[in-house]
Amino acid sequence: MLGQIVITEIMYNPVGFEDDEAEFIELYNMTFGPIDLSGCVLKDAPEDEGSPLTDMILNTGEYGIVGRTTNPEFYGGVTPMATFDFNLNNGGDSVILECDGVVFDQVDYDDGGDFPEATGASLQVRPGAEDIDSNDDPTRRCLASENYAGENLG
């Protein structure tokens, strides 16, 4: 499973909603079969326990949202497949996908340094960069441009 599930989008600073309502992380299954993420966690620091992705299954080529809540109002009508309970720092942070103690993907973003400043827009992977190496490269990230909830772009 290493490298088969990647972090493709991070909304760390939504506008018009509280961060603890509308932050989200998007995962992508780049394999030719479904992947069960039970046994995996999302976290923002290596020493943290993380938020379990219990009962989250991504089908072939499927994107899945993990949100701060399961309320679809904050995610353009999409109900997150799971939730996380940590804050994504608006000035920069890490997003770590760990499965059975092994880091499968990690994105260390900043806010306007190497990565684009992303108030009200998610950081998303450019088309063609949905792999474990490219998705960590700040030059392969761009700001989302589609309105999905309030003034937010994702």
Side-chain angles (χ1 to χ4, degrees), residues 5-144:
I5 299 287
V6 293
I7 300 163
T8 52
E9 192 168 356
I10 302 168
M11 169 52 95
Y12 64 83
N13 194 8
V15 295
F17 301 112
E18 296 296 320
D19 284 359
D20 64 356
E21 296 173 328
E23 292 178 335
F24 72 83
I25 299 162
E26 180 186 78
L27 304 176
Y28 173 62
N29 176 1
M30 42 191 300
T31 70
F32 294 106
I35 293 186
D36 185 348
L37 295 173
S38 298
C40 298
V41 297
L42 278 175
K43 54 189 180 175
D44 67 342
E47 65 277 3
D48 289 350
E49 190 172 304
S51 298
L53 301 177
T54 307
D55 298 325
M56 184 174 176
I57 297 172
L58 285 178
N59 292 313
T60 301
E62 184 177 27
Y63 293 87
I65 299 292
V66 182
R68 291 298 304 277
T69 74
T70 56
N71 184 342
E73 169 188 352
F74 302 121
Y75 311 105
V78 175
T79 300
M81 298 176 84
T83 60
F84 63 96
D85 61 2
F86 54 88
N87 292 316
L88 295 173
N89 188 310
N90 292 346
D93 207 342
S94 296
V95 177
I96 303 165
L97 173 64
E98 183 179 285
C99 301
D100 298 317
V102 177
V103 174
F104 278 50
D105 197 14
Q106 178 170 341
V107 177
D108 301 310
Y109 68 89
D110 56 32
D111 187 42
D114 293 327
F115 286 85
E117 191 281 319
T119 298
S122 62
L123 287 174
Q124 65 184 46
V125 173
R126 293 182 188 278
E130 298 98 345
D131 63 78
I132 195 166
D133 296 318
S134 298
N135 80 324
D136 300 334
D137 181 353
T139 65
R140 300 282 183 107
R141 293 267 172 182
C142 60
L143 296 178

